[in-house]
Amino acid sequence: MRNFIVTIDGKSYSVGVEEVGVTEKSESRHVPVSAPTVPNAAPKISASGEKVLSPFPGLIKNLLVADGSAVKKDQPIMVLEAMKMDNEITAPCDGKVTFGVAKGANVETNAVLAVIG
């Protein structure tokens, strides 16, 4: 088993490759590799309204309301985990929530988490 570090779109991944049936005259082949997909990825949002931005990088641990639900100002709408601490993200105003992220997604600072409109 040989281990490699592969960088795709600026993200590094550790990959283990097992050598099987290697001969002295083995052929070199190009195999297309696609970027890994993010599980439970939500579609990008294009709704108009007030944007809810991530205050810091972290992991979306839980969505507390359903997409499309009516929410009230200061109502918790999701949990963002950063540095092993859970942080409730609240609605900045009354309206209908449209999420731009899914549970399990990693986000950066100022990423659009949702739109309240």
Side-chain angles (χ1 to χ4, degrees), residues 18-107:
E18 186 174 334
E19 295 181 35
V20 179
V22 177
T23 64
E24 289 181 26
K25 294 184 179 182
S26 63
E27 295 179 23
S28 175
R29 298 181 188 180
H30 286 293
V31 179
V33 177
S34 60
T37 58
V38 177
N40 301 322
K44 297 206 184 287
I45 58 176
S46 61
S48 61
E50 189 161 347
K51 293 178 182 176
V52 180
L53 302 178
S54 177
F56 35 75
L59 170 77
I60 303 300
K61 193 169 181 182
N62 201 6
L63 301 178
L64 302 176
V65 296
D67 193 43
S69 296
V71 294
K72 297 287 186 186
K73 182 178 180 181
D74 298 326
Q75 177 181 346
I77 59 171
M78 71 178 66
V79 177
L80 175 64
E81 180 185 283
M83 297 179 63
K84 306 288 184 195
M85 293 183 63
D86 290 349
N87 302 277
E88 284 188 341
I89 304 298
T90 59
C93 60
D94 293 354
K96 182 178 158 184
V97 65
T98 303
F99 289 109
V101 295
K103 181 178 178 178
N106 286 303
V107 296

